[in-house]
Amino acid sequence: MYLNHLQQDEIFIPSAIKSFESITGIKSRRGLENVIVSNGKIVNVVSKSYGHIPNELFFHKAEQLLVDANLKYRKRTINRNDRSFVMDFIIDNDNLFELKNKQDQILPMLRFKNSYDGSEKTSGHFGFFRQICSNGLHIAQSKIAFSIRHTKNSTNLIMPELEWLFEKFMDNEFYSISNQFLQMSAASINDEEAFVFEVLNRIKLFQYACSAKNNNPSKKARMVLDTLYKESIRLGESPNL
């Protein structure tokens, strides 16, 4: 389903580190000597000792890990205003986890993140991709151990042996959490509005009602209800946890 329509943003855009003065014609104070330019825009101001990590270096090296581990995968790329970037590797594993509906499949996923504005650490973690969902699931937080040196003369990426990490993830976290999905799928939601109201009342993510005077579902609450409805239609079954 959604796996055939993955987001494919352009993430390999022109980027460079340049001196603040050469760009602006104005001298800067110590510690803010350079700027990061992404796709023609200044997105960050950094020290002269900072080493810029372009997406080409990081994401190509991340993908090589999957190639070396002989893992089959599909890619999803996300570009957030030429500032922060995501590359998801959704792994076509023979032992994928299926809920009671054969169309509802949960796949292991690797997410790698990089940013030019400092909003995200250059990092990666395991998670889940649910084919019926448009947003994917990121419940697992198994960290991928790599270290990065941001220095002027060298930017070294020390990446892990992915095959060992993947096997460890599949043996432990993936199936333990997947079994929880199975239990949740057996619990039907009989009143969608009451369910969304109760969840939002507990987690305080946003308001369920439009306002204190208008008890109708807010725009965000309606979006959640609409998602529940659409997914139940696509799966041909009533909404569940």
Side-chain angles (χ1 to χ4, degrees):
M1 291 187 178
Y2 188 76
L3 198 59
N4 297 321
H5 305 282
L6 295 173
Q7 187 171 345
Q8 300 291 336
D9 292 346
E10 179 56 62
I11 61 173
F12 299 119
I13 56 177
S15 68
I17 185 165
K18 300 183 178 181
S19 74
F20 187 98
E21 187 173 0
S22 69
I23 292 291
T24 65
I26 303 171
K27 291 185 177 181
S28 62
R29 70 170 176 82
R30 185 179 179 181
L32 297 176
E33 296 92 352
N34 291 334
V35 298
I36 304 295
V37 179
S38 175
N39 212 15
K41 302 182 288 288
I42 295 176
V43 297
N44 203 1
V45 182
V46 297
S47 72
K48 61 182 179 181
S49 63
Y50 184 88
H52 174 52
I53 301 176
N55 288 340
E56 290 83 355
L57 172 66
F58 178 61
F59 289 126
H60 285 159
K61 192 156 188 176
E63 186 167 9
Q64 190 62 45
L65 292 176
L66 283 89
V67 174
D68 292 343
N70 295 315
L71 293 173
K72 295 184 296 181
Y73 59 88
R74 302 194 197 191
K75 286 190 293 187
R76 173 171 60 181
T77 54
I78 302 169
N79 178 337
R80 300 188 177 110
N81 300 315
D82 295 334
R83 294 168 176 259
S84 65
F85 312 90
V86 171
M87 182 175 281
D88 289 333
F89 297 100
I90 300 156
I91 299 169
D92 291 333
N93 183 263
D94 293 335
N95 298 317
L96 60 83
F97 187 86
E98 291 182 341
L99 299 179
K100 59 183 178 180
N101 189 312
K102 294 293 183 180
Q103 299 180 77
D104 200 359
Q105 298 176 341
I106 297 171
L107 300 171
M109 184 181 75
L110 275 165
R111 165 161 287 194
F112 289 90
K113 298 185 293 184
N114 191 29
S115 70
Y116 293 162
D117 64 353
S119 61
E120 295 277 4
K121 290 183 178 179
T122 304
S123 61
H125 69 267
F126 284 107
F128 297 93
F129 180 87
R130 186 180 176 212
Q131 288 203 53
I132 198 68
C133 259
S134 63
N135 61 338
L137 297 170
H138 306 283
I139 296 168
Q141 293 295 325
S142 297
K143 297 299 180 182
I144 299 169
F146 58 79
S147 61
I148 299 170
R149 293 182 61 203
H150 291 268
T151 64
K152 183 177 181 180
N153 297 320
S154 64
T155 303
N156 298 320
L157 297 182
I158 303 172
M159 305 289 269
E161 290 293 333
L162 185 61
E163 187 172 9
W164 177 81
L165 283 172
F166 180 70
E167 289 177 356
K168 181 180 178 183
F169 172 68
M170 294 296 289
D171 288 342
N172 299 312
E173 197 162 13
F174 180 69
Y175 286 109
S176 65
I177 294 180
S178 297
N179 285 330
Q180 295 179 30
F181 292 157
L182 186 60
Q183 296 176 37
M184 293 170 69
S185 70
S188 297
I189 300 174
N190 298 318
D191 187 333
E192 291 88 345
E193 290 194 13
F195 169 74
V196 174
F197 175 83
E198 176 65 20
V199 171
L200 292 176
N201 189 48
R202 292 192 183 195
I203 66 176
K204 310 296 183 185
L205 183 63
F206 53 83
Q207 294 295 322
Y208 173 83
C210 290
S211 67
K213 296 182 179 179
N214 186 349
N215 292 325
N216 291 324
S218 64
K219 182 179 180 180
K220 289 182 178 180
R222 289 198 305 272
M223 183 173 66
V224 174
L225 290 166
D226 186 54
T227 299
L228 284 172
Y229 173 75
K230 286 181 178 178
E231 289 182 4
S232 67
I233 293 296
R234 293 172 73 178
L235 288 173
E237 59 184 33
S238 60
N240 58 64
L241 290 182

